[in-house]
Amino acid sequence: MHYGDLTDAMNLTRIIQECQPDEIYNLGAMSHVAVSFDTPEYVGNVDGLGTLRILEAVRILGLEKKTRIYQASTSELYGGMPENKNDKGFYDESSPFYPRSPYGVAKIYGFWITKNYREAYDMFACNGILFNHESPRRGETFVTRKITRAVSKIALGLQDKFYLGNLEAQRDWGHAKDYVRMMWMILQADQPEDWVIATGVTTTVRDFVSMAFNQVGISLEFKGEGVDEKAYVTACSKQEFQLAIGKEVLSVDPTYFRPTEVDLLIGDPSKAKNKLGWVPEHDLASELKDMMASDVELMKKDVTLLNAGHEILKQSE
Ligand code: GDD
């Protein structure tokens, strides 16, 4: 393990010199799109110039022929512009970019500098244009994990309700396990190229919420529009997770709206499937099952701790 920082070129160069790596996966970034509006300069430095610092270190050290580089590019590059989809209605490797956040703009620099170093210096440097990928390890402030944690807590009686921003947004959500395998496959390919990794299915945030509640046997109905939209419990089919019918479990909070939003993302992974033989093992349903099972288990530990606390209080009375 080495300590490093994408804003520190000297330190990156030294680490790469010491390690003489065969492969570098640049997954380092400030990766939260909403936060990038608050820290635009920092994001430009880390996500944009940080990519250049790695490429340049490899070049200066004369490792161009030894070290293969994977750059974590993103579906945020497309910006969800409807007119830029291909004839079949998807974003693919030839779709134009139109980033909608400081994060997307910084990542577009990372994309092009990777391509430029590949062409200018004949380096094996590739972009994986990954659409959203989730797992039980997803950070708690990204929408999928925020939902699975909140739903688990509500189902166990640890939380009353929760708040989200734009429920209309649509994302192409895949499982991180499938996507990380593909990152590795990209660096094992014969030629350095850029690749779209996606499922080809898009789902609204609202439907993701319903699907998460369904995992614990709770059905919802959504009422109201825009900032007044709320979700209420209509049925509970599992003995373990019983809530009052009509209970309000979700409201919209405009704090979570973004100054510019990416409305809809859907990717076409045909190239990865046909040329590299990538076969995803998960769909959104199995991914959600994974995340909900993990978070329900995690939150049950809170219930155990809470009960133990109550017991201690009772004994001390
Ligand atoms: N985070 C968050 N929190 N998003 C919310 C909320 C909320 O309370 N309510 C609604 N959303 C909407 C966002 O407005 C967005 O349209 C969608 O949910 C997804 O938001 P995120 O989960 O934060 O992910 P993202 O799509 O912006 O970006 C992620 O995926 C990209 C593509 O792979 C990040 O992982 C990026 O780093 C990555 O590049």
Side-chain angles (χ1 to χ4, degrees):
M1 188 76 92
H2 298 262
Y3 289 98
D5 194 309
L6 281 169
T7 63
D8 183 344
M10 264 195 283
N11 138 288
L12 289 175
T13 310
R14 181 182 53 74
I15 294 171
I16 294 172
Q17 186 182 28
E18 276 175 25
C19 297
Q20 298 280 310
D22 298 317
E23 296 175 1
I24 295 178
Y25 294 83
N26 179 25
L27 312 184
M30 200 308 290
S31 68
H32 201 288
V33 174
V35 174
S36 79
F37 287 96
D38 297 327
T39 57
E41 182 186 346
Y42 174 75
V43 171
N45 193 5
V46 172
D47 299 15
L49 289 179
T51 311
L52 169 72
R53 292 185 184 106
I54 291 178
L55 291 159
E56 189 59 357
V58 168
R59 191 184 73 83
I60 289 171
L61 293 168
L63 296 172
E64 302 99 312
K65 295 290 166 283
K66 174 181 167 69
T67 306
R68 295 185 168 200
I69 300 172
Y70 172 88
Q71 166 61 13
S73 282
T74 160
S75 52
E76 282 293 302
L77 298 182
Y78 299 118
M81 292 293 139
E83 64 276 17
N84 289 346
K85 286 191 211 154
N86 67 18
D87 296 344
K88 290 179 275 167
F90 298 92
Y91 298 102
D92 64 19
E93 289 81 0
S94 55
S95 304
F97 297 143
Y98 196 118
R100 299 265 290 161
S101 63
Y103 168 80
V105 174
K107 279 286 185 180
I108 218 164
Y109 179 87
F111 175 91
W112 281 111
I113 202 67
T114 300
K115 202 174 165 90
N116 178 250
Y117 269 56
R118 176 165 84 220
E119 291 169 2
Y121 306 115
D122 201 21
M123 288 165 65
F124 200 106
C126 312
N127 288 288
I129 308 174
L130 269 59
F131 284 62
N132 299 49
H133 40 289
E134 316 297 315
S135 87
R137 293 183 183 181
R138 180 56 136 158
E140 294 164 16
T141 58
F142 295 92
V143 80
T144 54
R145 188 78 198 291
K146 183 174 168 181
I147 293 169
T148 57
R149 277 174 61 89
V151 172
S152 305
K153 282 188 170 185
I154 292 169
L156 289 165
L158 292 168
Q159 185 174 323
D160 197 36
K161 61 179 285 189
F162 73 120
Y163 298 84
L164 289 174
N166 181 8
L167 301 177
E168 300 282 348
Q170 288 175 262
R171 287 292 181 275
D172 180 330
W173 278 299
H175 199 302
K177 277 187 183 172
D178 286 326
Y179 288 43
V180 172
R181 182 158 35 82
M182 181 58 196
M183 290 179 192
W184 177 81
M185 290 170 83
I186 287 173
L187 289 198
Q188 315 312 310
D190 294 335
Q191 295 299 325
E193 290 181 54
D194 303 322
W195 307 84
V196 162
I197 316 299
T199 67
V201 177
T202 194
T203 307
T204 60
V205 171
R206 185 185 296 105
D207 285 346
F208 191 99
V209 171
S210 291
M211 289 169 78
F213 271 101
N214 283 341
Q215 286 291 321
V216 280
I218 297 169
S219 306
L220 297 182
E221 72 172 332
F222 288 81
K223 284 187 189 163
E225 273 179 31
V227 291
D228 297 322
E229 187 166 354
K230 295 181 192 309
Y232 303 89
V233 173
T234 55
C236 304
S237 63
K238 288 191 181 169
Q239 197 57 44
E240 200 184 350
F241 306 112
Q242 289 294 319
L243 299 178
I245 304 304
K247 180 181 167 59
E248 184 186 306
V249 288
L250 169 66
S251 293
V252 170
D253 182 343
T255 312
Y256 298 111
F257 291 164
R258 296 172 181 182
T260 39
E261 174 66 290
V262 172
D263 295 324
L264 188 158
L265 290 173
I266 182 164
D268 177 1
S270 301
K271 181 180 165 187
K273 286 186 171 173
N274 298 337
K275 266 183 108 167
L276 285 187
W278 177 64
V279 185
E281 288 170 6
H282 294 269
D283 59 11
L284 182 55
S286 72
E287 176 186 321
L288 237 164
K289 201 170 161 199
D290 229 12
M291 292 179 78
M292 280 301 296
S294 165
D295 275 335
V296 168
E297 273 318 300
L298 194 67
M299 301 313 163
K300 275 183 180 167
K301 287 185 189 147
D302 282 2
V303 178
T304 312
L305 279 176
L306 214 62
N307 288 341
H310 285 149
E311 198 52 43
I312 290 167
L313 274 179
K314 237 195 269 166
Q315 282 169 11
S316 66
E317 274 166 12

